[in-house]
Amino acid sequence: MAYLTPAEVRTRIPALSNATTYTNLELTNLVSEFEYIAERYLLTAFQTRTATAEQTVRPNKFVQLANRPVAAVSAFTVDGVSGTVADLTVETATGLIYGAAWYGADVLTVTYTYGIATPPEPLLRACAEYCRAVAFADRSGQSRDVIAQSFDGSMTRYSTPDWNRGRPTGYLEVDRLLNSLADYVAPGVA
């Protein structure tokens, strides 16, 4: 299920209420686009999803799952042989799993559920704002937020995406809201 439905986007941003100009398909696609950006930027899934991963077991006997936070592991196999989930240790925030059952093994296949069941309100606001900003930009001559302007020299500087500077979308309000969710960023493993 998406963060927001087209109807929920329209409720939050009344300027998008014209369903002929801003179609359900367009809003659905914009929500999906935002989900991808937000989850890549914050390294956290804000919906519960299921995944299956097949990985080579590391020499130190842990496996790092790609999606976080891990809610539960439902099944796993070691070199094609089913294991007991109770034999695993799962670090939910990092996505690390350990298990003595696979010492000497080569390939671990894990089916697991990950993500946060309910997206936080700032993320939903950012999603609606992203839909507004992109939908309006698609229909106007100005595609980005202005961050600097000089009338004497005729210089205008626009905000563009720059992940290293905390601007994953380049839309200032959307980026501010995404950066307010820094507590959700999943820790990495060095």
Side-chain angles (χ1 to χ4, degrees), residues 4-182:
L4 296 171
T5 64
E8 291 169 330
V9 171
R10 287 186 178 94
T11 298
R12 288 172 177 267
I13 310 288
L16 298 175
S17 63
N18 185 335
T20 303
T21 303
Y22 306 104
T23 66
N24 286 345
L25 179 60
E26 178 184 14
L27 295 179
T28 299
N29 289 339
L30 290 173
V31 169
S32 178
E33 187 177 297
F34 174 79
E35 288 175 9
Y36 177 76
I37 292 168
E39 292 185 9
R40 256 186 71 216
Y41 184 66
L42 296 171
L43 301 175
T44 301
F46 291 97
Q47 289 187 335
T48 305
R49 298 185 179 106
T50 301
T52 299
E54 182 176 286
Q55 297 187 0
T56 302
V57 178
R58 297 176 187 253
N60 54 357
K61 306 302 178 206
F62 74 87
V63 170
Q64 169 101 44
L65 298 173
N67 304 297
R68 299 180 287 266
V70 175
V73 173
S74 57
F76 76 95
T77 63
V78 178
D79 293 337
V81 177
S82 294
T84 305
V85 174
D87 293 339
L88 297 178
T89 300
V90 180
E91 291 184 8
T92 58
T94 62
L96 288 174
I97 58 173
Y98 308 86
W102 64 63
Y103 289 151
D106 291 320
V107 177
L108 175 71
T109 304
V110 181
T111 301
Y112 63 103
T113 304
Y114 66 96
I116 296 170
T118 305
E121 179 56 30
L123 186 76
L124 298 177
R125 282 189 55 216
C127 181
E129 181 62 25
Y130 180 83
C131 292
R132 183 206 61 77
V134 174
F136 286 5
D138 286 349
R139 289 163 179 80
S140 73
Q142 185 172 329
S143 63
R144 292 285 170 185
D145 292 343
V146 174
I147 57 175
Q149 203 166 29
S150 172
F151 295 104
D152 295 335
S154 298
M155 185 276 300
T156 302
R157 191 171 138 228
Y158 296 96
S159 176
T160 57
D162 186 343
W163 287 43
N164 293 328
R165 292 190 174 151
R167 295 191 315 258
T169 68
Y171 296 107
L172 299 177
E173 180 62 5
V174 176
D175 294 342
R176 182 191 70 79
L177 289 165
L178 284 174
N179 287 312
S180 76
L181 298 167

